[in-house]
Amino acid sequence: MPNTTHHEGRLSRFLPAAVRFLASMPVAVVLLCLLAITSTIGTVLVQNRDEDFYLSKLGPTWYRLFDALGFLDMYSAGWFIAILLLLILSVSAALLRHGPRFWRTSRPLDGIRPWPVKHDGGFTVPALEPQRIETVLRRHGFNEFKRDGELLLARKGRWSKLGFFFVHASVVLIGIGGLSTSQLGFRGVMNITEGESDNIIYIPEGRDYRRLQLPFQVRNDKFAIDFYNTGMPSEFRSDLSLVQDGKVLVQKRITVNDPLRYEGVTFYQANFGDAGSAVNFTLRDLTNEKFPRQAVETAVGRTLEDGMGIKLIVKELRQHNVVNMSEDPDKEVLKNIGPSIDLLLQSPASGNISYRVYLAYPHMLAFAPMGSEEMIYENLGFSPADDQLMGLLAAYLKQVSQLQGEVTPDTRRAAFAAALGEMGIATDRAAELGPAIIQAETVLRAHKLPMLFAFNSFVPKQYTGLQVARDPGAPLIWIGSTLLVLGLFMMLYWHEYRIWVRRDGNALELCALYAARQKLPLERLLATLQDEFTTPATTTNA
Amino acid sequence: MTSATLSASAAKSPNSTSLLGYWLTLLVVTLSLAGLAIFGEADRLAPGMPFQQLLSYKLTSYANLLLVASALIYLAHLRYKAESVGKWATGLATAGMIGVLMALLVRWFESHQVLDEGHIPITNLYEVTLFFSALTALIYLILESIYRRKAMGAFVMPIVVVAIGFELWLVSRGQVGPQNLVPALKSYWLHAHVLANFIGYGAFAVAAGAGAMYLMRARAERKGRCSALPSLDTTDAITYKAIAIGFPTFTIATILGAAWAYDAWGGYWSWDPKETWSLIVWLTYAIYLHLRFVKGWAGTRMAWWAILGFGVTVFCFLGVNMFLSGLHSYGSL
Ligand code: HEM
């Protein structure tokens, strides 16, 4: 604003000094800078993790310091909320302070001083008739005129200062909206297994959880994942029913960007997980020289123990495995090779080994020994569930181990023939079965695995992970946002101009006030006006 | 400023209807060329085609060449001040910008042919960088056509060249082909959000270029040298204009992002690093506007502020992904 309109009005003179202080530019700029700078802290320090995490990453001293300063749950720390509150107060104070001035400057032209004390620019040209002046000014968008003897006062953009109010009021609205969301609302999670229902929401609070009970049950009728041809998930969806006293209140299929809203509570598709899918696999114990089989029926998440220190944990069922089949490292050829289970074997003798067992590729052996992230892939040659071939392999390895003296291809062939005999397999199948057995022998000798597995079948049982939120501030946020955008455009592209023209004998004196601190637009306008005032009427009117 | 020079500059400023006509013509040309390209390519496309064989990729390469050439010629223009040289620079920049926009339109069509579900090509880093370079050039060229000052091209087009360098790096890492969208990214809010965001980023880039030009001319004046750069007042005005385009657009973008988050994640704001940094960008330019409107700051200080603001913007665009999202592993603390 130009200085002329800057003196405080009667009302604002009586505003408490505190309001004037809060509304002052230094305070506003300091608060805005403070918010910008402190906001970065929470983006550098990971928020809301548990104590062990911070202790291991930061060490006890820094951990205690940061914790005490509230840096580890920063966006709900008292001092941070205080900055936000002060900002809202500052903007409210600015609104209060500018209100009276707004009414004063937006009055009809009658109330405006006949000739300004100060102005932002002007010029003097030879006089011309009043009608011409008004025509020219109208062409430049001036739409209010007041004539007072030898004086003409013109204005455009009378209501442009509304932009200021819209923008700053929107900051207050958005601030109040945000505070009501964080104080009165909640945001938590529910994991509901397919076919089951629940009414407890777990709400994270700092590093803990609070439980909240809904007055109705949320039932997961069905959860499903859609896939692209490559096997990547393309959509997650849950069929939800809200049920109270056996009555279905509402039903909806929700997807990731399409939640269910009911009485102020919103249910979002957030994630999913295994709720204990049933799996069936075959286990081969290679530590016993007969390689006996054992059929296992269990569920994901269970641990099997043999009572002698060996544990087998069913870690994960993956229904789809997308792998890159391309030989060329620059290219990607994605293929879905179907379901697998991850098993973790813990045995005192051979340590931890994780296995990935594929349903569709039983002869493929994928495992990672203890401490290794990288999977080793081998082709066993046949399925560990194949009793005949596993038996043959066991018999053959036993024969080989009983060989005396030097082991030559001939003695091996003899051992193989003996093994075939032991298994009651016709010797003419030696050529057919031999390569697979040799293949398996090579693999097993290379890796010394205590067990092999074959994955037979599964019945999936999944839970849907819902984010549940109540957000009473949201309407204020959206109203405030609309107001903000509207106000911004008004503020940046619509300004008030006032022009006084005074006839002084043979000369015309013009001066202008411009309500935005941009030099060029005013200079441009004045230059054009001067041009049009000095060129003969015939050309300017053309 | 004397009234004589004022009238001269006023007379020179182009008439806005003819400018609008010019830009509308360019829009029509872009759309029809893209249409032709799509028509020509349609039969060749097959699912899973490698990106090097896609027309959009080739178009992008040629368009990038034009943009790099225009940056060099703008620099030459700054040095030698020949009007004809400047015309070439503008022509090449316009052609390159149209080329990139066309490539994006073609890519949009291609994605529907080579993927199971096509989508607007502003969903991965490569695509948005393309979009950013085209928009920065576009916003610059619009301001050039309004203010009739070509010198600024030497400050803005190098930013575009840096973006192109970044694209090449992404190409070398193979992160370029059209990809299927993960479920969370399937949202019109999100697409509108990204679109608005990059108009904002482009405008902030132009503002930073103008700010740099201001500083250079101010230095020349302090040393008593004459300078071919536009006057300080004009440059200051261009800087402001670019921010006046960028700030509201970026505000809209942030609101659209909040609307997306509200539908996808169950909350319009969760203080995650990306959100927080876009708030910081917003605050930086809000402070700029306060200092300018209320304190009447202008000139050197505001030029620095525009450059600083773009620094914060770049960090929000790239730095957050590179340094902060990996923070779950705490790698960079
Ligand atoms: C978080 C946000 C904001 C705060 C805390 C804030 C604070 C303030 C305060 C306290 C004033 C009064 C200064 C005075 O009376 O001297 C003011 C004025 C002003 N603000 Fe903001 N503001 C905010 C957002 C914005 C935004 C987003 C804009 C966008 C353009 C903006 C533009 C202005 C302008 C142009 C004035 C001067 C109005 C005049 O004197 O005519 N403000 N602001």
Side-chain angles (χ1 to χ4, degrees):
Chain A
M1 280 304 284
N3 300 335
T4 18
T5 45
H6 245 302
H7 30 229
E8 302 280 326
R10 204 171 288 135
L11 196 143
S12 44
R13 221 179 302 135
F14 292 110
L15 285 179
V19 172
R20 266 183 285 159
F21 173 71
L22 271 174
S24 69
M25 199 31 48
V27 171
V29 169
V30 165
L31 283 174
L32 290 171
C33 288
L34 206 62
L35 177 60
I37 293 166
T38 51
S39 297
T40 60
I41 298 174
T43 67
V44 179
L45 284 165
V46 185
Q47 301 284 298
N48 289 324
R49 292 298 197 84
D50 57 27
E51 192 168 337
D52 291 341
F53 175 82
Y54 289 119
L55 280 176
S56 69
K57 297 293 177 190
L58 298 169
T61 322
W62 289 111
Y63 168 62
R64 249 174 263 129
L65 181 67
F66 287 165
D67 197 32
L69 290 172
F71 284 3
L72 304 179
D73 183 14
M74 200 197 92
Y75 301 108
S76 33
W79 59 265
F80 189 76
I81 304 283
I83 296 179
L84 293 177
L85 280 175
L86 278 175
L87 260 177
I88 297 177
L89 280 181
S90 163
V91 182
S92 317
L95 285 170
L96 262 182
R97 185 175 162 186
H98 282 259
R101 176 153 33 113
F102 170 70
W103 281 119
R104 213 168 48 251
T105 55
S106 303
R107 273 177 307 200
L109 289 184
D110 294 326
I112 285 170
R113 191 193 301 272
W115 186 253
V117 190
K118 267 188 180 171
H119 56 80
D120 297 335
F123 53 77
T124 308
V125 288
L128 34 116
E129 65 276 22
Q131 201 47 52
R132 268 270 323 283
I133 302 174
E134 204 176 306
T135 319
V136 170
L137 288 176
R138 268 190 200 284
R139 206 160 49 221
H140 287 279
F142 286 85
N143 49 12
E144 290 173 87
F145 296 90
K146 191 183 100 175
R147 223 171 290 176
D148 185 359
E150 292 296 288
L151 197 67
L152 175 72
L153 173 54
R155 172 165 72 178
K156 67 175 175 179
R158 175 177 176 185
W159 299 106
S160 63
K161 282 217 73 178
L162 271 180
F164 168 87
F165 286 91
F166 282 13
V167 166
H168 291 81
S170 79
V171 172
V172 177
L173 282 181
I174 292 172
I176 295 176
L179 282 176
S180 13
T181 296
S182 69
Q183 299 309 308
L184 308 173
F186 62 75
R187 212 167 139 188
V189 293
M190 290 178 94
N191 292 341
I192 309 172
T193 306
E194 214 175 339
E196 294 177 10
S197 39
D198 196 359
N199 65 350
I200 304 291
I201 308 170
Y202 290 87
I203 300 166
E205 280 201 336
R207 289 169 222 160
D208 271 331
Y209 282 95
R210 173 162 69 90
R211 289 155 55 96
L212 188 93
Q213 191 171 353
L214 284 170
F216 47 78
Q217 292 278 333
V218 185
R219 194 173 69 209
N220 173 5
D221 296 319
K222 185 168 169 43
F223 171 79
I225 309 176
D226 297 335
F227 293 89
Y228 292 115
N229 289 331
T230 56
M232 258 177 64
S234 74
E235 193 60 277
F236 307 123
R237 52 194 157 83
S238 304
D239 293 343
L240 297 186
S241 305
L242 306 186
V243 186
Q244 193 166 27
D245 307 325
K247 214 173 82 228
V248 174
L249 304 170
V250 61
Q251 264 182 325
K252 179 170 171 164
R253 165 170 299 176
I254 65 168
T255 58
V256 174
N257 273 298
D258 186 16
L260 161 64
R261 303 183 198 275
Y262 181 75
E263 300 211 327
V265 184
T266 313
F267 299 85
Y268 301 86
Q269 180 69 58
N271 54 17
F272 65 94
D274 201 294
S277 304
V279 290
N280 175 314
F281 58 89
T282 305
L283 180 161
R284 282 282 167 193
D285 183 359
L286 303 188
T287 54
N288 179 317
E289 64 178 21
K290 288 204 138 55
F291 293 1
R293 78 177 282 164
Q294 192 182 331
V296 184
E297 254 321 326
T298 181
V300 173
R302 297 267 179 80
T303 301
L304 313 171
E305 286 178 79
D306 76 338
M308 276 152 32
I310 297 182
K311 274 192 197 169
L312 184 66
I313 306 167
V314 186
K315 299 286 270 195
E316 188 182 353
L317 165 72
R318 293 169 180 244
Q319 297 197 46
H320 298 267
N321 283 282
V322 181
V323 293
N324 186 359
M325 306 292 273
S326 166
E327 310 269 301
D328 177 354
D330 288 341
K331 263 196 219 142
E332 245 187 9
V333 181
L334 297 179
K335 188 170 177 237
N336 183 0
I337 61 170
S340 70
I341 42 172
D342 284 1
L343 302 172
L344 175 64
L345 177 67
Q346 301 179 324
S347 87
S350 34
N352 290 4
I353 304 175
S354 38
Y355 290 78
R356 179 159 299 159
V357 191
Y358 293 91
L359 187 73
Y361 298 86
H363 55 274
M364 183 155 85
L365 185 56
F367 63 96
M370 181 156 67
S372 159
E373 294 278 312
E374 194 86 10
M375 280 270 173
I376 298 172
Y377 289 89
E378 291 284 8
N379 184 356
L380 190 68
F382 49 88
S383 164
D386 188 324
D387 284 330
Q388 191 184 43
L389 284 174
M390 281 311 287
L392 182 59
L393 178 64
Y396 166 67
L397 290 177
K398 189 171 157 217
Q399 291 289 345
V400 170
S401 69
Q402 287 166 353
L403 286 175
Q404 309 281 320
E406 202 185 339
V407 179
T408 64
D410 282 339
T411 57
R412 281 169 174 278
R413 216 166 287 133
F416 187 53
L420 283 174
E422 199 177 306
M423 292 299 294
I425 301 174
T427 39
D428 55 359
R429 292 188 65 199
E432 172 202 338
L433 301 177
I437 298 295
I438 301 301
Q439 165 86 11
E441 182 195 8
T442 320
V443 170
L444 292 187
R445 284 204 195 284
H447 299 294
K448 302 261 183 306
L449 293 167
M451 285 185 193
L452 292 179
F453 303 94
F455 182 20
N456 305 322
S457 66
F458 66 94
V459 184
K461 186 172 173 194
Q462 282 169 311
Y463 68 79
T464 179
L466 302 176
Q467 175 114 32
V468 188
R470 215 181 100 82
D471 207 336
L476 280 180
I477 298 285
W478 305 131
I479 294 171
S481 300
T482 314
L483 212 57
L484 175 61
V485 172
L486 214 73
L488 274 180
F489 278 104
M490 287 167 70
M491 210 158 170
L492 294 171
Y493 293 103
W494 191 27
H495 301 293
E496 184 184 353
Y497 288 82
R498 287 182 215 171
I499 281 184
W500 286 262
V501 189
R502 181 164 68 179
R503 196 189 166 111
D504 192 5
N506 273 338
L508 204 61
E509 198 183 341
L510 180 146
C511 70
L513 267 184
Y514 176 45
R517 296 216 165 195
Q518 311 306 324
K519 243 170 142 177
L520 274 192
L522 185 70
E523 281 176 359
R524 280 239 171 108
L525 176 69
L526 288 176
T528 326
L529 285 178
Q530 191 177 12
D531 248 18
E532 295 183 16
F533 282 164
T534 39
T535 36
T538 43
T539 53
T540 33
N541 283 343
Chain B
M1 216 186 257
T2 67
S3 53
T5 57
L6 265 179
S7 332
S9 73
K12 237 170 76 181
S13 75
N15 147 351
S16 56
T17 40
S18 77
L19 265 187
L20 195 65
Y22 170 71
W23 285 108
L24 282 178
T25 315
L26 278 190
L27 179 71
V28 173
V29 168
T30 312
L31 289 177
S32 15
L33 283 178
L36 272 178
I38 288 169
F39 184 70
E41 193 192 17
D43 320 334
R44 295 180 41 235
L45 291 170
M49 216 153 118
F51 70 85
Q52 294 93 337
Q53 291 174 19
L54 293 178
L55 179 62
S56 65
Y57 179 73
K58 295 176 194 160
L59 266 176
T60 310
S61 313
Y62 295 129
N64 282 349
L65 275 180
L66 297 180
L67 290 172
V68 172
S70 94
L72 292 174
I73 298 178
Y74 270 116
L75 286 167
H77 173 65
L78 189 64
R79 184 87 180 74
Y80 302 109
K81 297 157 194 109
E83 185 57 27
S84 58
V85 175
K87 283 215 173 95
W88 271 98
T90 306
L92 286 176
T94 311
M97 180 268 299
I98 289 182
V100 177
L101 286 180
M102 257 174 67
L104 283 168
L105 285 170
V106 172
R107 192 180 164 102
W108 193 347
F109 171 78
E110 286 167 351
S111 78
H112 282 271
Q113 310 296 310
V114 301
L115 298 176
D116 303 338
E117 270 176 48
H119 54 80
I120 186 170
I122 46 173
T123 54
N124 66 25
L125 206 49
Y126 175 73
E127 291 169 343
V128 294
T129 312
L130 280 180
F131 194 57
F132 168 77
S133 62
L135 277 174
T136 306
L138 175 64
I139 292 169
Y140 162 70
L141 286 166
I142 289 177
L143 288 177
E144 183 192 287
S145 68
I146 293 173
Y147 287 92
R148 296 276 165 109
R149 295 290 193 285
K150 291 185 190 300
M152 204 171 87
F155 295 85
V156 176
M157 293 311 286
I159 298 178
V160 173
V161 173
V162 172
I164 291 171
F166 183 64
E167 284 162 25
L168 292 181
W169 181 72
L170 289 174
V171 169
S172 76
R173 308 213 337 180
Q175 302 177 341
V176 173
Q179 279 146 352
N180 283 317
L181 291 184
V182 299
L185 297 187
K186 292 186 188 175
S187 154
Y188 293 116
W189 289 121
L190 177 70
H191 298 160
H193 162 68
V194 179
L195 218 64
N197 231 323
F198 280 86
I199 298 175
Y201 287 175
F204 293 152
V206 173
M213 182 165 81
Y214 187 97
L215 293 177
M216 208 156 141
R217 163 117 192 186
R219 211 185 59 184
E221 288 194 358
R222 263 202 316 280
K223 296 206 169 151
R225 284 204 302 266
C226 69
S227 170
L229 299 174
S231 76
L232 290 181
D233 282 350
T234 308
T235 314
D236 191 55
I238 297 176
T239 317
Y240 165 73
K241 204 69 184 177
I243 289 177
I245 295 172
F247 188 71
T249 331
F250 185 75
T251 308
I252 294 176
T254 309
I255 293 168
L256 289 169
W260 170 58
Y262 186 65
D263 268 358
W265 306 121
Y268 47 78
W269 196 263
S270 28
W271 293 106
D272 87 358
K274 197 81 174 179
E275 279 171 358
T276 310
W277 274 94
S278 58
L279 174 69
I280 295 169
V281 171
W282 191 81
L283 290 171
T284 310
Y285 289 102
I287 297 169
Y288 174 98
L289 290 173
H290 281 92
L291 291 175
R292 197 169 177 110
F293 279 131
V294 186
K295 285 269 159 214
W297 282 24
T300 311
R301 288 184 288 193
M302 290 286 89
W304 276 115
W305 203 281
I307 294 171
L308 168 94
F310 186 57
V312 178
T313 306
V314 170
F315 190 82
C316 179
F317 171 22
L318 295 177
V320 172
N321 300 28
M322 271 150 61
F323 303 116
L324 299 182
S325 52
L327 254 200
H328 302 292
S329 62
Y330 238 77
S332 50
L333 193 94

